[in-house]
Amino acid sequence: MTHRFQAVKGTRDILPPESALWNRVEQTARRVFATYNFQEIRLPLFEETELFARSVGADTDIVSKEMYSFEDRDARSLSLRPEATASVVRAYIQHGLHTRPGLTKLYYIGPMFRRERPQKGRYRQFYQVGAEVLGSSDHPALDAEIIEMLLVFLDRCGLREYTLYVNSIGCSDCRPKYIERLRGELQKVKDQLGADSRRRIETNPLRVLDSKLPEEQPIIEKLPSILDHLCDACRDHFQKFQQELKDRSLAYEINKRLVRGLDYYIRTTFEVTAPGLGAQNAICGGGRYDGLAELLGGPPTKGMGFALGTDRLLLALRQVEESGGKDQLDVFMVWLGASALRAARMLARRLREQGISTELLYEETKLKKALGLADKSSARYAVLIGEDELAQNKFTLRDMRSGQQRAMSESALLRELAASAGASAAEE
Ligand code: ATP
Ligand code: MG
């Protein structure tokens, strides 16, 4: 028996009509981000393993357990990208983007790879839409503006319920002191913590705050907060950032446990969660990373960005609207006889040139059956071509919703359809 191939565990096919929803979300991202003067960067799907080890951190789950790494034929270790900020910063340095005037505002859309335990909202190949601002500014308004862009995008996608959490994790002046304090407090409650957290007291105490273990929650709640340990400059930045959010009427909550375990992360961190996704409720994470470019051998650069999980956003959207979101087919051609097929073929080409989506079947089909197929295809209109139409050099346009039909010349037909296709595109 031959082997029946299946998509590899943790990967999946995105089939129509669902793929239309994906396209819509990605299209919305492109449109919204462009209005904030962001431009797309297309990045390789794999990089040197060392790039991720350095920028994501060798000690993180992502790098230590979840990366798809392999030895290339020249014995170099390569990895499928688990995230894209490292690549964006690598490209920024490699192409000297810092020498271009102004801020560098980039967005990316594409798959990421992590070998995690697959479950709802967690896959081994998943998709992200992300944006990064690199350059010389760390103005708190910039942090707020990126979040505004993200939330406008979510609104435009139709997501109604979500929560924005924000926090500040200080800087290299104030954070080390807080970490020492935290380590001290953690030592006192060590025996009540699980193995992972106990290990992290030494390696990375901040990450204990990230723990999802139910038993540890009451203990973590009582730990000192970074917000009480910010230096003046960081406290000022956090305050101004919040004022910027308020000035933009962006609702938020402070989550003092929202941290990043790596040294180059600084000040602003944020997360957006959506209901109905169980444990995988984080749809987007982001923050400021002013030291990353230098860590990768680049010039001093300030950075701020986010990565949004498209898979999870779509799951959340599905809770909102069960509509399926199929791309609307504009025209289904119905023809009778060989000469009608010739005319239909020519007309289909002209309609498609006008951006009007058109289905044309090449098997001759009886009128009733053809109209049934048009109905099943959910086409907005059918265009009928038979002997009468050919004789009069006209086409019959049938509105599939009302059932009304009218004969008209080709130019009238094109005008009518262009107007209605334009209207449905504008509705989106
Ligand atoms: P989580 O805590 O859920 O594992 P994370 O902290 O690993 O998330 P980030 O690395 O910040 O996530 O990635 C940003 C976003 O990418 C997440 O908020 C989530 O929406 C999405 N994401 C991360 N890992 C996966 C995955 N394995 N499958 C689907 N989406 C994912
Ligand atoms: Mg994760």
Side-chain angles (χ1 to χ4, degrees):
M1 210 176 84
T2 51
H3 179 65
R4 265 189 62 172
F5 291 104
Q6 302 250 333
V8 172
K9 187 176 169 185
T11 73
R12 66 212 209 286
D13 305 303
I14 296 160
L15 305 172
E18 207 202 335
S19 51
L21 272 174
W22 284 75
N23 285 334
R24 194 160 309 159
V25 162
E26 291 176 357
Q27 197 50 251
T28 304
R30 291 176 195 286
R31 287 208 191 116
V32 172
F33 295 177
T35 63
Y36 284 78
N37 196 24
F38 280 68
Q39 291 176 296
E40 183 174 17
I41 181 167
R42 296 198 181 210
L43 298 156
L45 295 193
F46 57 86
E47 300 264 6
E48 283 181 61
T49 300
E50 183 57 22
L51 174 70
F52 301 117
R54 270 216 239 159
S55 60
V56 182
D59 182 40
T60 57
D61 286 352
I62 293 180
V63 170
S64 65
K65 301 192 254 188
E66 298 173 355
M67 255 189 340
Y68 283 97
S69 301
F70 58 96
E71 195 172 284
D72 200 1
R73 285 163 198 271
D74 61 6
R76 219 195 314 187
S77 178
L78 302 177
S79 295
L80 297 184
R81 62 181 189 187
E83 57 104 62
T85 303
S87 303
V88 172
V89 177
R90 195 254 319 125
Y92 178 82
I93 299 167
Q94 180 177 340
H95 305 289
L97 298 186
H98 60 281
T99 60
R100 298 191 186 179
L103 293 169
T104 304
K105 299 181 172 183
L106 300 168
Y107 74 86
Y108 58 83
I109 295 177
M112 308 293 156
F113 307 86
R114 296 183 196 175
R115 199 172 194 291
E116 306 198 67
R117 192 167 68 78
Q119 49 196 296
K120 182 183 163 196
R122 196 176 289 289
Y123 311 98
R124 291 180 172 178
Q125 175 172 336
F126 63 100
Y127 296 80
Q128 284 185 343
V129 170
E132 319 280 359
V133 179
L134 294 152
S136 55
S137 175
D138 62 355
H139 198 291
L142 202 55
D143 304 29
E145 191 184 71
I146 295 173
I147 293 176
E148 176 190 293
M149 176 175 92
L150 167 69
L151 300 187
V152 167
F153 162 64
L154 293 178
D155 281 336
R156 206 66 73 73
C157 287
L159 189 70
R160 295 290 165 256
E161 261 188 273
Y162 55 78
T163 312
L164 166 67
Y165 293 100
V166 303
N167 193 25
S168 173
I169 52 168
C171 64
S172 56
D173 274 343
C174 50
R175 191 168 47 218
K177 289 176 209 144
Y178 167 70
I179 289 178
E180 271 327 297
R181 170 92 212 281
L182 181 64
R183 190 173 270 141
E185 293 301 313
L186 284 168
Q187 291 292 359
K188 294 182 196 160
V189 293
K190 193 174 178 175
D191 299 339
Q192 302 164 56
L193 298 173
D196 278 343
S197 291
R198 234 175 300 158
R199 187 165 39 79
R200 286 177 182 145
I201 296 177
E202 289 317 317
T203 57
N204 202 339
L206 272 186
R207 296 226 15 241
V208 177
L209 302 178
D210 249 351
S211 155
K212 307 256 160 37
L213 275 187
E215 315 82 88
E216 296 184 342
Q217 300 312 308
I219 305 162
I220 293 171
E221 274 310 311
K222 290 198 210 90
L223 292 169
S225 160
I226 178 116
L227 293 177
D228 299 327
H229 293 77
L230 298 180
C231 61
D232 290 345
C234 288
R235 196 171 323 114
D236 185 53
H237 192 275
F238 191 45
Q239 220 107 59
K240 291 202 172 114
F241 164 61
Q242 289 178 71
Q243 191 55 50
E244 288 281 347
L245 292 176
K246 286 183 195 138
D247 290 348
R248 292 156 199 263
S249 304
L250 303 175
Y252 66 92
E253 287 177 33
I254 293 179
N255 177 357
K256 61 184 166 77
R257 288 179 50 181
L258 205 60
V259 292
R260 296 276 183 277
L262 296 165
D263 287 346
Y264 60 81
Y265 279 109
I266 173 171
R267 296 183 174 161
T268 313
T269 57
F270 66 96
E271 187 170 90
V272 175
T273 64
L277 302 177
Q280 279 63 251
N281 67 349
I283 58 171
C284 181
R288 187 158 269 299
Y289 50 87
D290 290 354
L292 179 56
E294 278 165 283
L295 185 77
L296 297 179
T301 307
K302 303 195 184 338
M304 165 83 192
F306 64 79
L308 171 123
T310 317
D311 308 75
R312 291 186 196 173
L313 172 60
L314 281 159
L315 281 170
L317 286 174
R318 196 121 350 111
Q319 313 265 335
V320 181
E321 128 195 64
E322 292 284 15
S323 69
K326 190 177 190 309
D327 278 336
Q328 173 88 47
L329 177 63
D330 295 317
V331 172
F332 194 101
M333 295 278 222
V334 176
W335 54 271
L336 297 166
S339 347
L341 173 58
R342 216 167 302 132
R345 208 164 43 203
M346 299 297 286
L347 180 65
R349 174 166 174 172
R350 277 192 288 275
L351 293 177
R352 289 164 176 161
E353 277 168 359
Q354 301 295 315
I356 298 161
S357 59
T358 304
E359 180 62 286
L360 169 60
L361 302 185
Y362 290 96
E363 309 293 334
E364 174 129 40
T365 318
K366 292 220 164 58
L367 181 64
K368 206 169 152 210
K369 187 172 173 208
L371 283 174
L373 290 171
D375 198 41
K376 283 207 195 89
S377 74
S378 306
R380 182 71 188 84
Y381 296 98
V383 169
L384 281 55
I385 312 169
E387 277 171 28
D388 290 353
E389 282 83 3
L390 285 175
Q392 296 168 31
N393 201 14
K394 289 201 162 173
F395 300 98
T396 297
L397 180 67
R398 180 186 174 96
D399 184 322
M400 294 301 290
R401 283 183 204 155
S402 66
Q404 280 181 349
Q405 49 185 58
R406 269 181 304 144
M408 56 181 81
S409 68
E410 181 181 311
S411 55
L413 181 84
L414 277 167
R415 231 175 300 125
E416 178 109 9
L417 289 174
S420 105
S424 68
E427 271 168 28
E428 283 176 12

